[in-house]
């Protein structure tokens, strides 16, 4: 990409909201109330906006208008949506693939090389508009009016539309994402993106007239849903995440492995099979044991990628890989690394360290992953639906995709980790060791006072929360 104006705004990361300090008596009163099980919050300081909320974008219709547009959509139509309107059709993603994107999006190396930051090119491509054309200082993914793409809206071609992600309209106008979980999660997780980031999706099918049972049956028949977990074990449709975001997904290491073998062991064919990378990942599980590699070491990870990609290109083209698809149908490359030496081609690019002028995808991924704070190990994990008060009095309680109806109280020395949870009721913590809410929807007041080690409500690797209620944060590190 060439041009003279290449400066690019780097937004600040999400900031944790802090209310003004409580008077000592009020803090002692709150702690005493917790000790006797009192659940009402007095004197709560209301925040001006939900913590982690993204700036408003410039999407099309929202709410009832969006549902109405979806219900009328036909296959091939383009729908204007925001990321928080989408429901996943797979339980897992490759975290390292998303970490690569987030690492690169937060880096300035693209700009130093005279390019726009990759997140703008990625957004334009996903929106059917090829690449970024202008990116002035202050441009944000969440507001597409702040930058432009090379192909104007309305002038898309078959080629640019082919790069768009796809969606199926389900009962009630719900939107089920069938391709693009990694790309759109990366947009949601990056600091200038968020749940309200707008994007256009290409409609694959409209099944809104079906009953829920018939809908899921049709989704499975058309292979528009992936019902296997990160360990390749079958799941039910009820176990799918309800929204996008790292907090709601499980990490499938083989899905990441396949991503890094792209254009080394396989190349996505023009007619791509649904969930192609998962099909390759299923096959690789019996051939590459990732437990025998150190995936925190660039050299060891590269060795795993080489073993996997050599197995892919080295198998016969008519070998059935998964779901009746052959290696050639899934894009097997007849020559490993396109016939180039390990120091060249895509494998050579992948091998470039983070210190390089143009680091490899793997280097970006490991660098970003290494920057994330480690969460304490769960002593108890709650999933599914729970009704009634939840008192966390010791250890580390994790709510993973949990639907909690009722107050949550965290007492001194205990820890609460909530990822992708839905909580209806107040959440109160006084003197907790660690409190972490990521990708969580809370309807009710939040009060966190005097956390001992860490309070996390936003930041790298923490999916934005939706906090519907007053927020009080006092005396936390």
């Amino acid at each position: 990409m060439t041009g003279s104006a290449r400066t690019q705004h780097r937004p600040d990361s999400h900031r944790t909201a802090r209310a003004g300090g409580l008077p000592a008596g009020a803090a002692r009163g709150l702690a005493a109330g917790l000790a006797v099980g009192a659940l009402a919050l007095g004197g709560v300081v209301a925040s001006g906006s939900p913590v982690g909320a993204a700036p408003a974008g410039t999407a099309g219709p929202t709410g009832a208008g969006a549902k109405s547009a979806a219900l009328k959509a036909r296959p091939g139509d383009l729908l204007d949506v925001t990321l928080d309107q989408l429901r996943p059709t797979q339980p897992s993603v490759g975290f390292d693939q998303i970490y690569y994107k987030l690492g690169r999006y937060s880096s300035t190396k693209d700009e130093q090389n005279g390019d726009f930051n990759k997140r703008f090119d990625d957004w334009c491509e996903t929106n059917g508009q090829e690449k970024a054309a202008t990116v002035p200082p202050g441009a944000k993914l969440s507001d597409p009016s702040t930058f432009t793409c090379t192909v104007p809206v309305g002038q898309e071609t078959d080629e640019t539309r082919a790069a768009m992600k796809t969606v199926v309209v389900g009962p009630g106008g719900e939107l089920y994402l069938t391709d693009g979980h990694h790309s759109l999660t990366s947009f949601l997780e990056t600091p200038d993106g968020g749940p309200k980031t707008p994007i256009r999706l290409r409609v694959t099918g409209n099944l809104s007239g079906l009953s829920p049972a018939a809908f899921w049956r049709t989704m499975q028949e058309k292979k528009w849903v992936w019902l296997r977990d990160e360990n390749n074990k079958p799941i039910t449709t009820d176990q799918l995440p309800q929204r996008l975001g790292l907090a709601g997904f499980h990490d499938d290491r083989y899905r990441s492995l396949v991503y890094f073998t792209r254009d080394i062991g396989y190349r996505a064919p023009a007619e791509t099979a649904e969930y192609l990378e998962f099909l390759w990942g299923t096959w690789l599980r019996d051939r590459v044991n990732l437990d025998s590699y150190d995936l925190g070491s660039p050299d060891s990870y590269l060795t795993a990628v080489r073993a996997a990609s050599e197995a892919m290109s080295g198998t016969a083209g008519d070998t059935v890989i998964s779901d009746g698809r052959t290696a050639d149908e899934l894009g097997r490359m007849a020559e490993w690394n396109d016939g180039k030496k390990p120091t060249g081609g895509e494998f050579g690019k992948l091998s470039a360290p983070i210190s390089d002028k143009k680091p490899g995808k793997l280097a970006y991924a490991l660098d970003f992953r290494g920057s994330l704070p480690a969460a304490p190990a769960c002593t108890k994990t709650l999933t599914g639906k729970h009704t009634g008060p939840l008192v966390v009095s010791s250890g580390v309680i994790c709510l993973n995709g949990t639907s909690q109806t009722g107050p949550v109280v965290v007492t001194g020395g205990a820890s609460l980790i909530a990822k992708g949870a839905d909580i209806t009721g107040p959440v109160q913590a006084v003197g907790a060791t660690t409190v972490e809410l990521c990708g969580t929807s809370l309807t009710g007041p939040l009060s966190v006072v005097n956390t001992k080690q860490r309070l996390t409500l936003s930041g790298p690797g923490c999916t934005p929360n939706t906090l519907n209620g007053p927020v009080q944060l006092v005396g936390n590190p």
Side-chain angles (χ1 to χ4, degrees):
M1 188 176 294
T2 59
S4 56
R6 317 305 293 175
T7 55
Q8 160 67 42
H9 172 67
R10 276 189 85 198
D12 294 334
S13 59
H14 291 304
R15 294 185 180 134
T16 301
R18 288 184 179 273
L22 279 179
R28 286 194 297 270
L30 178 60
L34 287 170
V36 299
L39 299 172
L41 280 176
V44 172
V45 180
S47 65
S49 61
V51 174
T58 55
T62 59
K67 289 290 181 70
S68 177
L71 290 170
K72 298 174 184 177
R74 296 174 296 179
D77 285 353
L78 304 184
L79 277 182
D80 289 291
V81 305
T82 53
L83 300 182
D84 59 351
Q85 296 171 334
L86 303 175
R87 300 187 64 169
T89 55
Q90 61 190 56
S92 309
V93 293
F95 278 23
D96 283 343
Q97 176 177 341
I98 294 172
Y99 290 162
Y100 150 62
K101 292 292 184 72
L102 296 179
R104 186 162 179 179
Y105 291 174
S106 61
S107 171
T108 59
K109 293 211 173 188
D110 286 334
E111 294 91 329
Q112 292 168 9
N113 292 326
D115 295 326
F116 297 132
N117 188 279
K118 184 172 172 58
R119 68 187 188 275
F120 295 102
D121 282 339
D122 285 352
W123 188 93
C124 288
E125 180 182 52
T126 302
N127 208 51
Q129 297 181 262
E130 202 171 54
K131 293 184 177 181
T134 63
V135 182
K140 302 178 182 180
L141 277 194
S142 59
D143 185 358
S145 70
T146 62
F147 60 94
T148 65
C149 305
T150 56
V151 176
V153 170
Q155 297 182 27
E156 302 84 2
T157 65
D158 290 343
E159 183 179 359
T160 64
R161 287 169 62 97
M164 300 178 73
K165 308 308 180 184
T166 54
V167 68
V168 170
V169 183
E174 293 289 340
L175 300 176
Y176 292 84
L177 186 68
T178 52
D179 178 46
H181 293 78
H182 290 76
S183 296
L184 300 191
T185 295
S186 299
F187 298 159
L188 186 147
E189 297 280 348
T190 202
D192 68 333
K196 294 299 181 183
T197 300
I199 198 73
R200 291 184 306 167
L201 300 176
R202 182 162 45 85
V203 176
T204 298
N206 190 332
L207 306 180
S208 59
L210 300 180
S211 67
F215 167 75
W216 284 118
R217 185 166 57 250
T218 302
M219 291 286 285
Q220 292 179 66
E221 290 171 353
K222 291 184 175 291
K223 304 186 187 303
W224 287 343
V225 60
W226 182 260
L227 294 177
R228 303 193 77 82
D229 69 10
E230 72 278 14
N231 298 311
N232 203 36
K233 303 297 183 184
I235 66 165
T236 65
T237 57
D238 291 339
Q239 294 173 282
L240 290 169
Q242 296 301 299
R243 52 188 175 266
L244 292 178
L246 285 171
F249 286 116
H250 295 280
D251 180 20
D252 187 334
R253 298 182 300 166
Y254 283 90
R255 178 60 180 76
S256 291
L257 180 67
V258 173
Y259 175 71
F260 293 126
T261 66
R262 185 178 296 177
D263 296 324
I264 302 172
Y266 86 101
R267 179 173 288 129
E271 296 296 326
T272 303
E274 299 290 349
Y275 304 100
L276 176 147
E277 292 88 353
F278 282 115
L279 298 178
W280 274 119
T282 298
W283 184 78
L284 286 171
R285 289 174 190 274
D286 297 328
R287 290 158 181 82
V288 179
N289 179 12
L290 287 181
D291 290 334
S292 64
Y293 297 90
D294 178 4
L295 300 185
S297 161
D299 289 342
S300 186
Y301 208 140
L302 276 169
T303 302
V305 172
R306 180 163 184 174
S309 56
E310 287 181 339
M312 297 162 84
S313 64
T315 193
D318 59 358
T319 302
V320 175
I321 299 300
S322 184
D323 198 32
R325 304 273 187 164
T326 67
D328 280 347
E329 289 175 330
L330 296 182
R332 178 192 74 100
M333 293 175 65
E335 291 186 281
W336 180 79
N337 198 32
D338 230 7
K340 297 178 175 64
K341 295 179 180 180
T343 53
E346 288 300 317
F347 191 80
K349 293 179 183 178
L350 184 68
S351 306
I354 195 65
S355 58
D356 199 80
K357 180 180 179 181
K358 293 186 177 182
K361 294 177 180 178
L362 191 55
Y364 275 121
L366 296 187
D367 184 65
F368 185 85
R369 173 153 47 100
S371 72
L372 301 179
C378 305
T379 55
K380 184 176 182 180
T381 300
L382 301 181
T383 60
K385 296 182 179 181
H386 291 265
T387 301
L390 173 62
V391 178
V392 183
S393 57
S394 64
V396 180
I397 301 300
C398 295
L399 306 181
N400 288 353
T402 313
S403 178
Q404 164 68 24
T405 302
V408 178
V409 176
V410 188
T411 62
S415 294
L416 174 69
I417 309 293
K419 293 187 176 182
D422 288 288
I423 303 174
T424 302
V427 174
Q428 305 178 52
V430 173
T433 300
T434 296
V435 176
E436 180 177 308
L437 273 65
C438 295
T440 291
S441 176
L442 171 61
T443 301
L446 171 67
S447 177
V448 185
V449 177
N450 294 337
T451 305
K452 302 305 180 186
Q453 290 187 3
R454 180 164 57 88
L455 166 64
T456 301
L457 298 178
S458 62
C462 182
T463 303
N465 296 297
T466 301
L467 305 182
N468 300 309
V471 176
Q472 175 181 269
L473 309 174
V474 179
N476 300 292

